[in-house]
Amino acid sequence: MELDELRGILRSLEQDMARYAVNLHRESRERRTRELRSRLWPLGAAQILQILSGLAVTAISALFWVRHLDAPALAFSGIVLHVYGIGMVAGAARTLHLLASIDYSQPVVAIQRQLTLLSLWRLRLAWVFGVASCLAWIPMVVIGFDMAFGIDLYESAPWVIASFLGSGLACLGVVLLLHRWLATSSRMDLVQRIRDHLVGRSVSRARGILDEISEFEAE
């Protein structure tokens, strides 16, 4: 075998190996991308359910406070729950928008940036609803008693409302203390676990997959 022929064979082998490496990289990236989509799918489904729930809360509470304009306390409860329902819809819609904005064809760094925006939004949303939910359950119970039993707790049992408010304020205090502790604690491993829980398991797992893709592409 002549030297030129040998060189030609080696070049052909090198080209074959390069094509194989490219195909392997593409197939791995596509597989990881599919896995990334599957990790975020439950979050999207949960947002759709939240929008439907929020629409139901908004509609029921709107009908309630419109029918109780002659009872200011009950009307106020309906309005508060109405606003809460709108917040549920708006928060879930924004989350869906951020999910839909993720371009999986972009480089890993760009996807990580989009996922970071989603994580920050989810974290802020968790704190907002954590604070709001400490008090929003009170008008929910008041409306439920009025619709189910025709009982106005404000008139028939004001002490119950007072105990509800005390419980809500205590809950609010715990949430605010937790927020402050997370902002100042030096136990970063525990802080990160709590934040991951607030952001959602789907987002945390998606970040892990992106880290794996980044490490693979760096090799």
Side-chain angles (χ1 to χ4, degrees):
M1 181 179 297
E2 296 183 1
L3 183 59
D4 290 340
E5 293 179 354
L6 181 59
R7 289 174 178 172
I9 293 173
L10 290 175
R11 280 197 298 269
S12 178
L13 288 174
E14 289 176 354
Q15 291 171 356
D16 289 341
M17 291 297 295
R19 283 194 295 269
Y20 175 78
V22 170
N23 291 333
L24 181 63
H25 180 275
R26 183 175 62 253
E27 291 174 0
S28 177
R29 172 67 183 264
E30 291 174 351
R31 178 174 58 83
R32 290 295 187 181
T33 299
R34 288 194 298 270
E35 186 177 357
L36 179 61
R37 288 177 181 270
S38 68
R39 293 298 186 185
L40 291 174
W41 181 87
L43 178 60
Q47 302 315 297
I48 294 174
L49 291 177
Q50 181 174 316
I51 288 175
L52 295 176
S53 301
L55 289 174
V57 170
T58 301
I60 293 172
S61 57
L63 290 174
F64 181 85
W65 70 258
V66 167
R67 292 175 180 175
H68 291 80
L69 291 176
D70 57 334
L74 291 176
F76 177 75
S77 294
I79 292 172
V80 169
L81 199 59
H82 189 177
V83 173
Y84 186 82
I86 293 174
M88 291 176 63
V89 174
R94 171 64 174 166
T95 301
L96 284 176
H97 172 72
L98 291 174
L99 281 170
S101 299
I102 297 176
D103 187 353
Y104 297 95
S105 65
Q106 293 292 314
V108 174
V109 174
I111 302 176
Q112 287 175 328
R113 189 180 303 114
Q114 293 169 329
L115 204 59
T116 297
L117 291 176
L118 175 62
S119 298
L120 292 174
W121 166 251
R122 291 282 298 167
L123 186 60
R124 286 194 294 265
L125 200 62
W127 287 120
V128 169
F129 275 97
V131 170
S133 298
C134 284
L135 298 174
W137 66 274
I138 300 174
M140 196 175 299
V141 172
V142 169
I143 292 173
F145 264 83
D146 186 85
M147 294 179 66
F149 309 109
I151 299 175
D152 182 353
L153 290 178
Y154 288 109
E155 290 187 357
S156 61
W159 60 272
V160 172
I161 300 297
S163 66
F164 285 173
L165 286 173
S167 299
L169 291 174
C171 171
L172 183 61
V174 170
V175 171
L176 294 177
L177 284 174
L178 177 61
H179 184 274
R180 179 176 177 80
W181 180 81
L182 289 176
T184 59
S185 176
S186 59
R187 300 185 59 182
M188 297 308 299
D189 55 338
L190 179 58
V191 169
Q192 188 59 49
R193 285 200 297 270
I194 294 175
R195 286 178 175 170
D196 287 343
H197 177 74
L198 293 174
V199 168
R201 187 175 299 177
S202 296
V203 178
S204 299
R205 289 177 174 176
R207 282 205 307 263
I209 294 173
L210 277 178
D211 291 341
E212 292 177 4
I213 295 176
S214 180
E215 291 175 359
F216 176 78
E217 292 184 347
E219 294 177 355

